[in-house]
Amino acid sequence: MSGARDRVTDALYGLGWGAVKKLPEPVATALGRTIADTVWKRRGPTVLRLESNLARVVPDAGPERLAALSKAGMRSYMRYWMESFRLPAWSTERVRAGAEIKDIDLLMDGLASGRGVVLALPHMANWDLAGAWLTRGQGVPFTTVAERLKPETLYDRFVAYRESLGMEVLPHTGGSAFGRLARRLRGGGLVCLVADRDLSSSGVEVDFFGDAARMPAGPALLAQQTGALLMPAALWFDDSTVMRGRVYPAIEVPGSGTRAEKTSVMTQAMADAFADGIAEHPEDWHMLQRLWLKDLERGPE
């Protein structure tokens, strides 16, 4: 049964990449909003989980405010998918005009220094567009990792899609990713990691919106091991067709302490930067899974 379900899932994604990219942009935008509103009205587990997560981000929000935020959140999430399906068909000019990133000079200056940069992002707005904006729009190549999805053919689609945008993509599992990322950084390169959810069950515990969560240690460890700069970033949408973003100043490696202690301090600083961006634009944080430890401890939903 799971094999049949996997084939259906893969086919649906294939249909999205094949059909949506051919639609006129206003039509794709309207389609995404219609799908988002339909899913939101059904109040399924995904919407309820998003609302629960947003309740931690905006603790003083009442039911009506949370409902409005989750509706906007689903629209933001579907905007991500509609844009992502269409990205391979965008011209370089359209990609370049598709994002405006505040303080991007911090990133460019860091790369110019030759130290290498780890750019860490939360699941906000459209990180694939941000990547294409760097590779195709600014001529800045980078390496990233991708979570292994099921079925394997769907994972292969995602890898091929991101490679078509100019990214070097490594599998999250398998053990060799860290070493290859470190080599890219020692060569003065850029590594981009979506880093607000720990996939390894061995992440660093952080305080996130007043409660305990785990985030991956990789960004901080890479910075320590290679001398690269660790820079958080945030992304968000507004009412225009342009995605906005911000690069935060580099997180310094503490001058003393064990490697674990330094990693803890740096990962907390990364989480604080993420919280700053998410608090300003909560509807653009696409966290549709459980994140906080108390939620994870409750077992399957």
Side-chain angles (χ1 to χ4, degrees), residues 120-121 193 195-196 206 208 215-217 219-220 230-233 251 264-276:
L121 306 94
L193 300 172
D196 55 345
V206 296
F208 196 53
M215 292 189 182
L230 171 56
M231 293 183 177
I251 295 170
S264 178
V265 170
M266 295 176 72
T267 305
Q268 181 64 62
M270 181 182 74
D272 291 343
F274 290 170
D276 179 78

Side-chain angles (χ1 to χ4, degrees), residues 35-285:
I35 294 172
D37 290 352
T38 300
V39 172
W40 178 80
K41 287 176 183 176
R42 290 176 179 169
R43 308 286 295 162
T46 296
V47 173
L48 295 178
R49 169 47 49 198
L50 176 62
E51 239 171 64
S52 177
N53 289 340
L54 289 171
R56 293 180 182 270
V57 174
V58 191
D60 58 345
E64 290 186 3
R65 170 68 172 146
L66 280 176
L69 278 174
S70 67
K71 185 175 185 178
M74 292 308 298
R75 286 183 172 184
S76 174
Y77 184 54
M78 286 310 304
R79 175 173 170 175
Y80 158 71
W81 278 112
M82 291 297 112
E83 287 184 349
S84 294
F85 285 145
R86 291 173 51 77
L87 263 177
W90 282 13
S91 67
T92 299
E93 291 73 21
R94 176 67 182 89
V95 170
R96 189 177 293 120
E100 185 176 287
I101 310 298
K102 181 181 178 182
D103 295 328
I104 189 65
D105 57 297
L106 294 175
L107 172 61
M108 298 305 184
D109 290 347
L111 292 172
S113 74
R115 291 179 59 182
V117 175
V118 181
L119 188 67
L121 306 94
H123 285 81
M124 291 187 76
N126 191 339
W127 46 94
D128 286 329
L129 173 55
W133 183 83
L134 281 170
T135 57
R136 292 177 57 192
Q138 310 301 313
V140 178
F142 67 86
T143 304
T144 188
V145 298
E147 179 183 0
R148 279 203 175 275
L149 303 171
K150 292 183 179 180
E152 189 74 15
T153 51
L154 180 58
Y155 170 77
D156 292 340
R157 283 186 189 273
F158 270 96
V159 170
Y161 155 67
R162 287 179 172 142
E163 288 179 342
S164 76
L165 300 176
M167 311 175 194
E168 180 187 25
V169 183
L170 308 178
H172 182 269
T173 56
S176 63
F178 189 91
R180 292 176 67 181
L181 294 174
R183 287 194 292 274
R184 301 296 183 269
L185 292 167
R186 290 194 183 99
L190 174 63
V191 165
C192 295
L193 300 172
V194 180
D196 55 345
R197 186 165 69 96
D198 178 47
L199 298 176
S200 67
S201 300
S202 60
V204 177
E205 186 170 319
V206 296
D207 179 88
F208 196 53
F209 290 102
D211 216 337
R214 285 196 186 94
M215 292 189 182
L221 288 171
L222 283 166
Q224 290 178 63
Q225 187 164 313
T226 67
L229 298 167
L230 171 56
M231 293 183 177
L235 304 169
W236 63 91
F237 295 130
D238 58 19
D239 293 332
S240 74
T241 59
V242 179
M243 182 181 68
R244 314 294 174 176
R246 176 189 176 187
V247 177
Y248 289 83
I251 295 170
E252 298 293 335
V253 177
S256 61
T258 64
R259 184 172 71 167
E261 289 168 343
K262 292 178 181 180
T263 301
S264 178
V265 170
M266 295 176 72
T267 305
Q268 181 64 62
M270 181 182 74
D272 291 343
F274 290 170
D276 179 78
I278 292 166
E280 288 189 2
H281 306 279
E283 67 278 7
D284 291 312
W285 186 43

